[in-house]
Amino acid sequence: MMALRHVNLPYVLLSFLFIGCGGAQIREGADPLALLRQGRFAEARSVAEHRGVADPTMRAVVALSLVAETPKPSRGAKAVVALAEGTNEIGAAAAAVEMLDLAFTIEKPISTEAAMLISEAALGSVGYGPLKAETVPSLPPGMASRALGTAVLERVFFALDGSNAAVDLNRLLTIWNSCFTLGGGSAAAEDEVQAWRLFRSIGGLAVIVEGVAPDSDLSKVLLAAAVAVVESNPNIAIAARCDLASPFDQLKMAVAHNRNLLGRLEGAVVAATGCTRGTYAPEVR
């Protein structure tokens, strides 16, 4: 066994103070959003934590970096705490929406699992879904809840669209039920941008679920909800019928066996009859 040699203890303590005790070091003037975009998650989180939880953007950066760095349920639970820390349910919802939006800015797209977890963390921060904490109050239906539900559905759709990941129907059902509650059980949107995002996301998810679990209860619910969005928001009829990003054609095929739903879908876009395929959707991203 090697003998211990004498060391200068004060010198060692000072060294630790100057070197630091591990983890990302905070650089004065560092931009947490730029670090996040570059995938430097630990650094982004350190800077955001240093700036404090009063800023919803900093809470969003902390939460997103936790899950993007290590997509595990335990990190999702920590993200819930980060989003809700030092604020009420409205503040948590604002940070959660920003987190979901920031996920699209990361240069290397996050994994499907990370996207699902941040969606569940967003819901958990306002008292819904599998990651909800007992200490977090539930967000009542309203403008803030509809914005969050829309952002979650959009994030989940883009996570699953074109992905080879297996679709967990029970997990998706829990997310859908939470978003349905946040939307107050209504398909009406605040404006045409939100209406388009809802239609594109719900319709896209309906097509995905119909593809893996045809005629399932979840498929039926999502197909009917997608039709209801167009019926309740006639200002997106042209975009729904003819925009290149619209799931309309796939939806029409999916409901072909349901004459009532097919008739409702076609009736909802009758004002757009004759339009050619192109770009009609309101600017989203």
Side-chain angles (χ1 to χ4, degrees):
M1 183 179 295
M2 184 179 294
L4 294 175
R5 57 190 180 84
H6 177 72
V7 295
N8 187 321
L9 188 57
Y11 174 80
V12 173
L13 292 176
L14 285 173
S15 297
F16 271 104
L17 289 175
F18 282 107
I19 295 172
C21 298
Q25 300 300 301
I26 299 170
R27 291 185 290 110
E28 199 65 36
D31 182 356
L33 297 180
L35 293 168
L36 187 73
R37 284 194 296 271
Q38 295 164 20
R40 296 161 65 180
F41 300 125
E43 294 174 78
R45 186 164 60 253
S46 290
V47 176
E49 288 173 339
H50 180 66
R51 293 193 180 182
V53 300
D55 186 341
T57 300
M58 296 303 104
R59 297 201 304 277
V61 170
V62 171
L64 176 55
S65 67
L66 282 165
V67 178
E69 184 179 54
T70 308
K72 294 181 178 180
S74 59
R75 284 296 187 99
K78 289 182 178 180
V80 169
V81 174
L83 291 169
E85 185 178 2
T87 188
N88 58 17
E89 59 269 35
I90 298 295
V97 169
E98 189 151 8
M99 174 187 68
L100 294 166
D101 288 342
L102 284 175
F104 288 105
T105 70
I106 298 175
E107 293 171 1
K108 181 181 178 181
I110 62 176
S111 67
T112 299
E113 178 60 17
M116 297 298 288
L117 279 171
I118 64 169
S119 300
E120 291 171 334
L123 293 172
S125 71
V126 295
Y128 293 91
L131 294 180
K132 67 179 180 181
E134 293 182 3
T135 56
V136 174
S138 296
L139 178 67
M143 187 180 297
S145 68
R146 282 191 290 273
L148 178 56
T150 300
V152 168
L153 290 170
E154 185 176 58
R155 179 63 269 185
V156 172
F157 165 61
F158 279 114
L160 297 177
D161 185 38
S163 169
N164 293 323
V167 179
D168 186 331
L169 295 180
N170 289 328
R171 188 179 195 181
L172 189 55
L173 176 61
T174 300
I175 291 173
W176 164 252
N177 285 339
S178 297
C179 292
F180 181 79
T181 302
L182 287 171
S186 170
E190 296 292 338
D191 53 38
E192 65 175 7
V193 172
Q194 188 177 87
W196 166 251
R197 292 172 68 192
L198 280 171
F199 175 70
R200 181 179 61 178
S201 302
I202 297 173
L205 287 171
V207 170
I208 290 171
V209 173
E210 178 67 13
V212 298
D215 212 33
S216 62
D217 289 342
L218 181 57
S219 171
K220 292 175 183 176
V221 166
L222 290 173
L223 288 169
V227 173
V229 171
V230 190
E231 289 177 324
S232 301
N233 303 277
N235 52 348
I236 64 164
I238 294 177
R241 175 66 184 85
C242 296
D243 192 86
L244 291 170
S246 174
F248 180 82
D249 290 339
Q250 298 98 311
L251 279 173
K252 192 172 178 180
M253 292 175 60
V255 301
H257 63 288
N258 186 327
R259 296 184 65 179
N260 175 57
L261 206 54
L262 177 61
R264 286 174 54 194
L265 178 61
E266 292 179 330
V269 297
V270 67
T273 301
C275 64
T276 56
R277 297 285 280 178
T279 304
Y280 300 94
E283 291 292 329
V284 182
R285 63 168 52 88

